[in-house]
């Protein structure tokens, strides 16, 4: 790029001199339209419990979901993402509970669709909340079996669609799952159920608090590097996205968020598809603890979300969604 102008004729501080002019020239702004709130669900009745590794975030029993959904509605957050904390006794090698039509996710979808029909619901398709080993797929002869796993994932996706889920979000990183899920959804005439593919998901240390929140951390004895992506590389990124689009993805996710802004911007610049960023649990807890301990100013939250917008994300999955919606209202 050719740089035009120079000091003293040009003074870049002119456009920063007051709040109104900064607002006038601002290229990116956040509204609650940009936010997706993840919600953790637990068994029992009348339960709202804190999650130690994620200060400020709770697990809700299904009957208590309206407490948080009322906030979502009030702040006009378009969509929630549901995650179950499955008790150990319901976990097995195959993640069978994923296909139980009375599991926590199914019950939650039904309740939310009944009481909050205008809130979008997104559900992960992956087995990790349900397996006794904490992996996203099933293990055969010591390996995560791709093709057998996607058969189960397809059933999981169909079940969620049947319950009323709007957006199916495969987060497992098996090859070919978007195509088989789209085909199965269409066969059952779920033409309007969309697929938000976790297309680009790295094997990351930033998922720690989430694994704690859904109770898979203690179960997991190895990493997920045979299916989640290697963060040293660029070579598979476009194929991951391109394959998923060809297979029928409507939107793609990049995850984690903040340390992968380069990836968001590459996808944005090379594909015509909505790109969604996931500000994952580790990012949340770092920023939240930083603020609580007064190491960071509170504006760090908005600053982090704005980085995603600048990079090209159209919306952001973030545990800060309610907090942000409150903040932008008072601005
Ligand atoms: C599991 C899944 C994970 C997250 C969302 N879905 C964790 C993982 O892959 O181990 C992480 C979300 C977060 O850290 O906030 N399929």
């Amino acid at each position: 790029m050719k740089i035009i102008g120079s000091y003293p004729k040009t003074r870049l501080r002119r456009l920063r001199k007051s709040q109104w002019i900064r607002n006038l020239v601002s290229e990116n702004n956040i509204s609650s339209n940009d936010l997706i709130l993840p919600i953790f669900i637990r068994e029992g009745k009348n339960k709202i419990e804190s999650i130690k590794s994620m200060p400020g975030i709770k697990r809700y029993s299904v009957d208590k979901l309206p407490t948080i959904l009322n906030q979502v509605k009030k702040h006009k957050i378009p969509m929630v993402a549901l995650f179950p904390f499955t008790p150990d006794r319901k976990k097995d090698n195959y993640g069978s509970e994923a296909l139980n039509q009375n599991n926590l996710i199914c019950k939650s979808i039904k309740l939310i669709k009944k009481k909050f029909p205008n809130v979008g619901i997104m559900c992960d398709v992956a087995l990790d909340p349900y397996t006794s080993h904490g992996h996203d797929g099933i293990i055969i002869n010591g390996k995560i079996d791709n093709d057998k796993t996607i058969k189960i994932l397809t059933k999981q996706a169909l079940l969620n669609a049947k319950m009323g889920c709007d957006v199916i979000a495969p987060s497992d990183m098996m090859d070919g799952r978007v195509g088989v899920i789209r085909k199965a959804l269409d066969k059952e005439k779920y033409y309007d159920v969309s697929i938000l593919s976790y297309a680009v998901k790295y094997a990351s240390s930033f998922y720690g608090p989430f694994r704690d929140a859904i109770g898979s951390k203690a179960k997991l004895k190895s990493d997920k590097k045979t299916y989640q992506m290697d963060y040293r590389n660029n070579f598979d990124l476009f194929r991951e996205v391109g394959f998923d689009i060809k297979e029928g993805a409507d939107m793609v996710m990049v995850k984690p968020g903040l340390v992968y802004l380069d990836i968001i911007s590459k996808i944005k610049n090379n594909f015509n598809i909505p790109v969604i960023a996931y500000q994952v649990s580790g990012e949340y807890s770092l920023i939240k603890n930083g603020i609580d301990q007064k190491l960071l100013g509170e504006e760090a939250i908005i600053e982090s979300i704005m980085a995603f917008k600048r990079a090209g994300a159209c919306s952001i999955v973030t545990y800060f969604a309610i907090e942000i919606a409150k903040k932008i209202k008072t601005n």
Side-chain angles (χ1 to χ4, degrees):
M1 182 188 284
K2 197 166 169 246
I3 304 291
I4 302 164
S6 63
Y7 170 84
K9 205 168 122 209
T10 302
R11 291 174 183 265
L12 294 171
R13 286 183 54 193
R14 275 185 206 126
L15 298 184
R16 298 177 201 142
K17 73 170 185 182
S18 58
Q19 185 69 49
W20 68 263
I21 203 160
R22 291 193 295 272
N23 287 348
L24 186 76
V25 299
S26 62
E27 294 178 314
N28 291 288
N29 285 285
I30 302 166
S31 87
S32 54
N33 292 342
D34 304 322
L35 306 170
I36 300 167
L37 176 72
I39 299 177
F40 296 111
I41 305 150
R42 53 155 292 154
E43 288 211 322
K45 281 220 156 58
N46 202 19
K47 297 251 167 20
I48 299 183
E49 79 185 342
S50 300
I51 300 165
K52 211 169 153 223
S53 54
M54 300 185 73
I57 303 301
K58 314 260 195 263
R59 293 189 195 99
Y60 300 83
S61 54
V62 177
D63 61 317
K64 280 292 179 188
L65 282 173
T67 328
I68 183 81
L69 263 299
N70 278 325
Q71 298 268 328
V72 168
K73 186 177 164 189
K74 179 171 162 207
H75 295 294
K76 299 197 169 63
I77 292 169
M79 184 161 81
V80 294
L82 306 180
F83 296 102
F85 175 81
T86 311
D88 278 359
R89 67 188 150 78
K90 294 197 171 164
K91 294 187 179 183
D92 62 23
N93 276 331
Y94 298 97
S96 316
E97 179 65 8
L99 305 182
N100 171 3
Q101 51 181 338
N102 278 316
N103 70 20
L104 288 171
I105 292 296
C106 293
K107 284 195 223 162
S108 304
I109 300 172
K110 284 198 269 187
L111 178 130
I112 297 170
K113 274 295 150 197
K114 197 163 146 213
K115 299 202 163 163
F116 302 88
N118 297 322
V119 174
I121 301 180
M122 155 183 158
C123 293
D124 257 38
V125 166
L127 299 177
D128 56 313
Y130 308 105
T131 51
S132 41
H133 43 70
H135 278 291
D136 294 33
I138 60 170
I139 303 178
I140 311 247
N141 296 331
K143 287 187 184 153
I144 310 290
D145 190 295
N146 193 89
D147 297 6
K148 292 205 168 71
T149 296
I150 63 180
K151 288 203 173 107
I152 304 177
L153 298 179
T154 304
K155 291 186 185 157
Q156 186 186 18
L158 280 176
L159 178 61
N160 290 343
K162 186 175 161 197
M163 295 297 144
C165 171
D166 303 287
V167 177
I168 299 287
S171 69
D172 54 290
M173 290 307 286
M174 298 300 125
D175 286 321
R177 84 280 207 222
V178 172
V180 292
I181 291 173
R182 183 71 268 166
K183 206 168 149 201
L185 289 172
D186 287 351
K187 191 161 168 248
E188 298 297 322
K189 301 203 165 50
Y190 294 117
Y191 302 120
D192 292 336
V193 172
S194 38
I195 297 182
L196 162 52
S197 170
Y198 286 73
V200 180
K201 175 171 178 179
Y202 293 90
S204 169
S205 302
F206 286 86
Y207 307 145
F210 171 94
R211 290 180 186 167
D212 210 25
I214 64 157
S216 74
K217 196 172 188 168
K219 305 262 153 214
L220 200 61
K221 299 284 178 276
S222 57
D223 58 44
K224 299 189 178 183
K225 290 184 177 170
T226 70
Y227 46 108
Q228 298 182 347
M229 291 159 72
D230 185 332
Y231 55 74
R232 292 174 296 184
N233 300 334
N234 275 316
F235 66 74
D236 44 4
L237 141 79
F238 285 163
R239 277 182 292 169
E240 286 288 0
V241 176
F243 286 4
D244 284 2
I245 295 174
K246 277 195 191 159
E247 288 174 34
D250 302 285
M251 301 168 268
V252 293
M253 179 97 83
V254 175
K255 182 181 171 198
L258 271 190
V259 281
Y260 296 91
L261 293 175
D262 55 326
I263 307 294
I264 296 172
S265 115
K266 276 188 191 136
I267 298 174
K268 175 70 184 169
N269 293 329
N270 285 283
F271 295 91
N272 275 317
I273 190 158
V275 185
I276 295 177
Y278 199 138
Q279 181 174 54
V280 299
S281 56
E283 302 173 52
Y284 169 84
S285 294
L286 274 176
I287 296 173
K288 184 74 177 166
N289 282 316
I291 294 170
D292 289 352
Q293 290 175 36
K294 306 216 168 0
L295 299 168
L296 306 178
E298 260 193 50
E299 212 180 312
I301 299 171
I302 301 280
E303 186 180 338
S304 69
I305 299 298
M306 205 60 86
F308 296 121
K309 296 290 291 183
R310 220 173 43 234
C314 61
S315 47
I316 300 101
V317 183
T318 173
Y319 301 94
F320 285 119
I322 304 264
E323 223 168 306
I324 294 167
K326 283 184 189 160
K327 273 194 208 329
I328 47 191
K329 247 182 215 147
T330 55
N331 263 348

